[in-house]
C-alpha cells in the first residue's frame, strides 16, 4: 500500500495556537483524509516547537519552568485543535510531535553527529566552531541581517524586527556553524532536477534566487548560559542546539529516526514506511524548509522530503500577516462557537487561494455560512430529503422513468437520460480530486458548488411539487428526487475531508451508515444509492445565521468586554472575581470576545484562549483548589508613571515595573478616587498573567488590586507596609 506523510510546521509553544496555525493544520487534515479515502496509508504530523529563548522568556514571565509552560500550552493547544476535529480522536493528526521529548533529543543529537562526521559536498567540514556577532529575533527564532531590521526610535536602542515590530537581541558569542555556503551547487541542482520540490513555482524561483545570491554559513548553537532551554550539542554540553536546527529534525525523529523509541503508536518501521513526506508551511518559513533543511539532510545523508509546499498568509486590512504579536486577528474560536467547526474549516479552505495571501473577517465567515452552506448545500439536502419524506414516505424512490412516461417527463423538463447529470457530477468529482491534490482547495470547492447550483436549478425548473399533484407523474417525480439524492451522496463523500462532521450527518440523513473515510471518491458509481432504502431523520445541517444580530452582538460584546475589563481593573467593580481568574472563564467569557484579539504572543498567558466551560449556578458556593489559585500570578509592581486616560472619567494609565525587562502598561478604573501623580513610586499588588485587553485604545497588560470599600465600592489600593522588591510574587 502506498503511503502519504504530511506535516505542518511545529508551532512555537510560547503561546496558544491561533487562526494562522489552524489554517495550515486544517489543510493538512483535509489532505490526509482525502488521501486516506484514496486508499493510501496516511500519517499526519503536527505539534510544537518547544525550545529556545522566546519560550524561556515566556515561561519566566508566567513564573513557570519552560517545561511547565510548554506542557500547559500543549494541553490547551490540543483542546483548541480538537474543537476543529483535528485531533486523533476525530480522525485528524496521527502525531503531535514535541521537541522536548527524550527520543527527539536522542534523534537530533544523532543527526548532528552524522552531519559532523560527513564532509560537505565541497569536501570540507560541515560543522565548525567560530564566533558569532549579530542580531537575533527571539519570536522569529532567527538571526537577522541589517535589511531585515528597522531603525529603533531612539539612537542606541536595539533595532526592530520587521515582522514582530519589536527590538531584537544582540548576540556575540562563540558557537558552532553549519557550512551552508558549501551546499549552493547541490541545492541548485536539486531545484533544477526536481521542479516540484518547492511549490508553487514562484516560491521555487524565490529560493533559487536566494541561493544564487550567495549562501552564508549559519550559526547552529547557542551558549547554554544564554539559551539553556534546548538540546545539548553532542560532546559539548556548554552549548545548546539552535532551535531551527533542532526543530526541522522533528519531521524524522517523529518517525523514529536516530532513536529506538517512536513518539506515537506508529511503532517500528515508521520511518521506512512514511519518509519522505510533504511539508506544508506558510511562506514565512520557506528558507528554513527549502534551503536549510535539504542542506542538513544532504549533510546527514538522509533522503530529501517529497516536497516543500508553501501557502500564502492571512493578512490584516493593512496587509500585515495576522499574528498574536500584532493583535490583528479575529477570534476564530468565537467564530466557531457562533457557527460550527465545519463552517470555519470550509471557509478557511474556500476563501483564500492556497498559494495567495488572503483576508478574513467575521462577516466573510457568516456570509459564506449562509450563502454557501445554509442556502446552498444545506438547503439542497433538506429540500430533497423533505420531499422524499413527504412524497415517498421516506423511502428512496427508483431512478428509472418508465418507458411509457418518458415523453411526458421530457415535457416536464426532466431529461429522460440521467446520464447528463451523472456525467456532470463525474466531471465535478474529477475536478475536485485534481484540485485538492494540487492544493487548489478553493477551486475544488467551486466545482462542487457549481454542481449544487446545477441541481438546485434542475429542481426549481422541474418543480417536483407540481409533479406530485399528478399520480401519473409519480415515476418522474421519483426519478427527479433520486437524482438529487444521489448527487448529495457524492457531495457528502467528496466533502468529508473538508467538513467531516457535516458529511457524516448528511450521510445519516440519507440513511447511509458506511464509513466515509473508507469510500474512495474516484470509485464512486452513479446509481449507488439503493432504491428502497429508508432515509434518516431530516434536520438542518447548517442552520441559518442571523448575521445582523450576531454582528451586533459581537460589537456589543466587544464594548462590554472593554467595559468589563474597566470594571475588573476598577476596584469599584467586581475586581479580582472569578471572572478575572485565567483558566476559569465565566459564562460571559464564553460569549465575550472582542473582534480583534489583543493578546500578544509574548504576553500569552494561561487561560488566554476562552473555552466554553460550566459555571456554577448563582448562589452556589464553590471552592477553588490550590491548583486554581496558583494559576493567578500576582506580583509586586512599582508605579513609574501615572496619568489620566483622555475622555475617560474612570481610567488611569500606569507604567509599572514588575522587575521584568521593560515596564508594563496597566489601566485601572480608579481615577475618581486617586490623583495620578500621588501614586508614582508606590508599590502595588498586580495580577500579572491576566490576558491583555484594550481599554480606550490602550492595551492593559495586567490588573492592580484594591479593596472595595463601602456601599459604593470605593477602591483602596493594596500596598505593602515593608519594602519589597519589584516583581516579588504574592503567594
Ligand atoms: N516553530 C516554527 C516552525 C518550525 S517547523 C520545523 C514556526 N512556528 S510558528 O508558530 O511561528 O508557526 C508558523 C506557521 O504558522 C506558518 O508557517 C504557517 O504555517 C502558520 N501561520 C502563522 N501565521 C499565519 C498567518 N497569518 N497566515 C497563514 N498561516 C500562518 O515558525
Amino acid at each position: 500500500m502506498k503511503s502519504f506523510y504530511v506535516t505542518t510546521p511545529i508551532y512555537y509553544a510560547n503561546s496558544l495556537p491561533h487562526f494562522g496555525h489552524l489554517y495550515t493544520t486544517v489543510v493538512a487534515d483535509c489532505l490526509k483524509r482525502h488521501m486516506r479515502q484514496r486508499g493510501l496509508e496516511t500519517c499526519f504530523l503536527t505539534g510544537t516547537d518547544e525550545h529556545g529563548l522566546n519560550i524561556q522568556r515566556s515561561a519566566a514571565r508566567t513564573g513557570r519552568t519552560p517545561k511547565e509552560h510548554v506542557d500547559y500550552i500543549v494541553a490547551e493547544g490540543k483542546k483548541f485543535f480538537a474543537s476543529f476535529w483535528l485531533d486523533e480522536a476525530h480522525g485528524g493528526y496521527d502525531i503531535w510531535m514535541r521537541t522536548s521529548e527524550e527520543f527527539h533529543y536522542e534523534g537530533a543529537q544523532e543527526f548532528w553527529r552524522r552531519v559532523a562526521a560527513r564532509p560537505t559536498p565541497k569536501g570540507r567540514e560541515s560543522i565548525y566552531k567560530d564566533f558569532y556577532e549579530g542580531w537575533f529575533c527571539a519570536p522569529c527564532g532567527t538571526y537577522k541581517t541589517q535589511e531585515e531590521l528597522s531603525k529603533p526610535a531612539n539612537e542606541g536602542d536595539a533595532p526592530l524586527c520587521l515582522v514582530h515590530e519589536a527590538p531584537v537581541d544582540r548576540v556575540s558569542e562563540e558557537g558552532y556553524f553549519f557550512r551552508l555556503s558549501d551546499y549552493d551547487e547541490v541545492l541548485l541542482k536539486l531545484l533544477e532536477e526536481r521542479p516540484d520540490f518547492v511549490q508553487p513555482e514562484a516560491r521555487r524561483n524565490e529560493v533559487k534566487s536566494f541561493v544564487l545570491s550567495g549562501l552564508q554559513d549559519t550559526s547552529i548553537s547557542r551558549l547554554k548560559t544564554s539559551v539553556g532551554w534546548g538540546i545539548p550539542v553532542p560532546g559539548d554540553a556548554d552549548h545548546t542546539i539552535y532551535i531551527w536546527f533542532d526543530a526541522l529534525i522533528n519531521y524524522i525523529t517523529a518517525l523514529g529516526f536516530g532513536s529506538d523509541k517512536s513518539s506515537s503508536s506508529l511503532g517500528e518501521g515508521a520511518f521506512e514506511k512514511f519518509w519522505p513526506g510533504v511539508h506544508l508551511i506558510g511562506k514565512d518559513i520557506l528558507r528554513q524548509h527549502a534551503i536549510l533543511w535539504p542542506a542538513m539532510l544532504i549533510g546527514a545523508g538522509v533522503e530529501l522530503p517529497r516536497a516543500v509546499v508553501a501557502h500564502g498568509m492571512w493578512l490584516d486590512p493593512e496587509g500585515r500577516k495576522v499574528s498574536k504579536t500584532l493583535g490583528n486577528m479575529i477570534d476564530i474560536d468565537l467564530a466557531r462557537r457562533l457557527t460550527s467547526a465545519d463552517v470555519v474549516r470550509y471557509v478557511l479552505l474556500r476563501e483564500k487561494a492556497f498559494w495567495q495571501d488572503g483576508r478574513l473577517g467575521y462577516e466573510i465567515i457568516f456570509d459564506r455560512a449562509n450563502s454557501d452552506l445554509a442556502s446552498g448545500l444545506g438547503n439542497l439536502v433538506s429540500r430533497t430529503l423533505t420531499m422524499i419524506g413527504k412524497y415517498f414516505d421516506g423511502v428512496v424512490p427508483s431512478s428509472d422513468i418508465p418507458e411509457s412516461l418518458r415523453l411526458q417527463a421530457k415535457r416536464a423538463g426532466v431529461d429522460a437520460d440521467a446520464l447528463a447529470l451523472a456525467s456532470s457530477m463525474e466531471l465535478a468529482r474529477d475536478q475536485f480530486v485534481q484540485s485538492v491534490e494540487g492544493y487548489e482547495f478553493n477551486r475544488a470547492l467551486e466545482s462542487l458548488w457549481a454542481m449544487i447550483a446545477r441541481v438546485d436549478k434542475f429542481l426549481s425548473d422541474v418543480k417536483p411539487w407540481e409533479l406530485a399533484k399528478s399520480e401519473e407523474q409519480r415515476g418522474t417525480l421519483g426519478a427527479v428526487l433520486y437524482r438529487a439524492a444521489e448527487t448529495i451522496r457524492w457531495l457528502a463523500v467528496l466533502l468529508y475531508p473538508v467538513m467531516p462532521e457535516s458529511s457524516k450527518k448528511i450521510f445519516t440523513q440519507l440513511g447511509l451508515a458506511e464509513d466515509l473515510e473508507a469510500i474512495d471518491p474516484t470509485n464512486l458509481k452513479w446509481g449507488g444509492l439503493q432504491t428502497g432504502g429508508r432515509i434518516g431523520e431530516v434536520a438542518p445541517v447548517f442552520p441559518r445565521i442571523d448575521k445582523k444580530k450576531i454582528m451586533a452582538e459581537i460589537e456589543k460584546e466587544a464594548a462590554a468586554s472593554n467595559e468589563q475589563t474597566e470594571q475588573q481593573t476598577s476596584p469599584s467593580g467586581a475586581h479580582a472575581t472569578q471572572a478575572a481568574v485565567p483558566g476559569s472563564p465565566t459564562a460571559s467569557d464564553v460569549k465575550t470576545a472582542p473582534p480583534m484579539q489583543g493578546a500578544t504572543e509574548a504576553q500569552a498567558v494561561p487561560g488566554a484562549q476562552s473555552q466554553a466551560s460550566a459555571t456554577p449556578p448563582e448562589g452556589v458556593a464553590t471552592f477553588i483548589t490550590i491548583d486554581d489559585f496558583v494559576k493567578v500570578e500576582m506580583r509586586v509592581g512599582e508605579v513609574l508613571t501615572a496619568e489620566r486616560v483622555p475622555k475617560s472619567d474612570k481610567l488611569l494609565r500606569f507604567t509599572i515595573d514588575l522587575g521584568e525587562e521593560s515596564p508594563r502598561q496597566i489601566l485601572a478604573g480608579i481615577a475618581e478616587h486617586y490623583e495620578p501623580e500621588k501614586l508614582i513610586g508606590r508599590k502595588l499588588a498586580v495580577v500579572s498573567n491576566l490576558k491583555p485587553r484594550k481599554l480606550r485604545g490602550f492595551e492593559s497588560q495586567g490588573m492592580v488590586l484594591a479593596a472595595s470599600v463601602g456601599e459604593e465600592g470605593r477602591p483602596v489600593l493594596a500596598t505593602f507596609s515593608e519594602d519589597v522588591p519589584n516583581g516579588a510574587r504574592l503567594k
Side-chain angles (χ1 to χ4, degrees), residues 8-14 18-25 48-49 139-140 164 243-244 246-251 280-285 289 311-315 320-323 329 352 601:
T8 72
I10 48 168
Y11 307 113
Y12 287 129
N14 62 309
H18 60 66
F19 136 56
H21 307 134
L22 179 71
Y23 177 65
T24 320
T25 320
T48 32
D49 186 353
C140 288
H164 289 93
I243 41 166
W244 269 103
D246 154 358
L248 288 161
I249 305 170
N250 95 88
Y251 297 131
L280 292 184
I281 57 164
K283 65 179 181 185
D284 54 334
I285 53 176
H289 282 82
H311 62 71
M313 309 306 282
W314 290 99
L315 305 177
R320 298 174 309 174
K321 178 179 118 176
V322 297
S323 75
M329 66 175 70
K352 184 174 88 59
E601 229 152 67

Side-chain angles (χ1 to χ4, degrees), residues 122 180-192 197-198 203-216 286-292 294-295:
K122 295 186 182 170
L180 186 61
S181 59
D182 267 12
Y183 289 77
D184 52 353
E185 285 164 16
V186 65
L187 288 173
L188 288 172
K189 191 159 163 265
L190 165 71
L191 295 171
E192 264 338 290
F197 181 71
V198 178
R203 299 277 92 82
R204 172 177 165 260
N205 294 339
E206 186 186 320
V207 170
K208 195 169 158 189
S209 28
F210 190 77
V211 178
L212 283 171
S213 72
L215 294 178
Q216 305 291 320
L286 178 67
R287 289 183 195 169
Q288 290 88 343
H289 282 82
I291 297 175
L292 179 61

Side-chain angles (χ1 to χ4, degrees), residues 679-696:
L679 293 173
I680 293 171
R682 291 270 287 273
K683 298 220 172 178
L684 307 177
V686 175
V687 178
S688 56
N689 64 345
L690 195 63
K691 179 179 175 179
R693 288 234 172 131
K694 273 212 168 140
L695 294 168
R696 308 271 161 158

Side-chain angles (χ1 to χ4, degrees), residues 380-460:
L380 176 64
V381 173
S382 60
R383 76 198 287 214
T384 303
L385 298 186
T386 305
M387 286 192 280
I388 292 181
K390 188 165 166 197
Y391 305 132
F392 293 91
D393 226 4
V395 174
V396 177
S398 164
S399 60
D400 297 329
I401 301 176
E403 193 61 52
S404 57
L405 292 178
R406 292 245 164 117
L407 195 63
Q408 239 176 340
K410 202 166 176 117
R411 271 197 217 116
V414 183
D415 195 341
D417 183 3
L419 281 181
L421 198 66
S423 58
S424 304
M425 187 66 247
E426 277 166 14
L427 193 67
R429 179 265 317 270
D430 294 346
Q431 281 168 350
F432 178 88
V433 170
Q434 199 186 7
S435 301
V436 165
E437 293 175 11
Y439 308 99
E440 306 211 297
F441 305 98
N442 60 335
R443 285 215 184 148
L445 292 166
E446 265 168 32
S447 52
L448 297 192
W449 259 256
M451 198 61 211
I452 293 174
R454 190 187 156 147
V455 179
D456 256 341
K457 183 167 180 319
F458 169 64
L459 291 179
S460 304

Side-chain angles (χ1 to χ4, degrees), residues 17-186:
H18 60 66
F19 136 56
H21 307 134
L22 179 71
Y23 177 65
T24 320
T25 320
V26 165
V27 170
D29 185 68
C30 172
L31 276 173
K32 173 214 153 145
R33 289 177 197 259
H34 174 78
M35 293 306 189
R36 175 154 288 195
Q37 284 184 311
R38 299 289 320 269
L40 272 65
E41 190 168 1
T42 54
C43 179
F44 159 23
L45 171 146
T46 191
T48 32
D49 186 353
E50 305 190 356
H51 292 129
L53 194 57
N54 208 35
I55 287 163
Q56 206 174 294
R57 284 182 181 156
S58 299
R61 257 192 296 270
T62 57
R64 297 193 174 92
T65 64
K67 183 72 170 86
E68 283 166 354
H69 186 63
V70 295
D71 283 351
Y72 170 77
I73 297 288
V74 169
E76 292 300 306
K78 283 184 173 177
K79 279 191 230 160
F80 174 70
F81 280 159
S83 68
F84 290 92
W85 321 132
L86 297 165
D87 60 332
E88 268 171 304
H90 291 98
Y93 57 74
D94 303 281
I95 305 176
W96 181 289
M97 180 58 191
R98 301 188 57 181
T99 53
S100 64
E101 307 235 30
E102 201 192 315
F103 69 83
H104 175 70
Y105 274 53
E106 279 176 33
Q109 289 177 329
E110 172 58 20
F111 189 93
W112 175 295
R113 277 192 287 268
R114 287 203 200 176
V115 176
R118 289 162 52 95
T120 68
K122 295 186 182 170
R124 295 192 281 176
E125 264 187 322
S126 281
I127 295 181
Y128 61 94
K129 224 171 180 184
D130 203 346
F131 197 81
Y132 183 80
E133 178 89 50
W135 298 106
F136 182 76
C137 171
C140 288
T142 53
Y143 299 97
K144 297 282 172 182
T145 59
Q146 282 307 336
E147 300 79 65
E148 292 167 319
L149 298 168
S150 70
K151 279 210 175 107
N154 305 312
E155 189 116 346
D157 286 355
L160 306 180
C161 160
L162 288 179
V163 181
H164 289 93
E165 300 174 13
V168 289
D169 292 299
R170 185 80 192 157
V171 178
S172 169
E173 61 188 40
E174 197 189 37
Y176 291 89
F177 281 72
F178 175 55
R179 203 181 297 276
L180 186 61
S181 59
D182 267 12
Y183 289 77
D184 52 353
E185 285 164 16
V186 65

Side-chain angles (χ1 to χ4, degrees), residues 484-539:
E486 175 65 348
T487 309
I488 292 169
R489 184 178 75 92
W490 281 50
L491 291 172
V493 172
L494 289 160
L495 285 170
Y496 164 75
V498 178
M499 298 187 282
E501 291 303 303
S502 307
S503 293
K504 281 184 210 157
K505 276 189 197 159
I506 295 174
F507 238 48
T508 312
Q509 295 195 21
L510 279 170
L512 302 173
E514 284 157 280
D515 179 5
L516 278 160
E517 202 176 81
I519 307 177
D520 183 344
T522 63
N523 288 340
L524 282 170
K525 297 271 174 300
W526 187 262
L529 184 66
Q530 289 303 310
T531 296
R534 182 161 283 284
I535 63 166
E537 200 179 311
V538 183

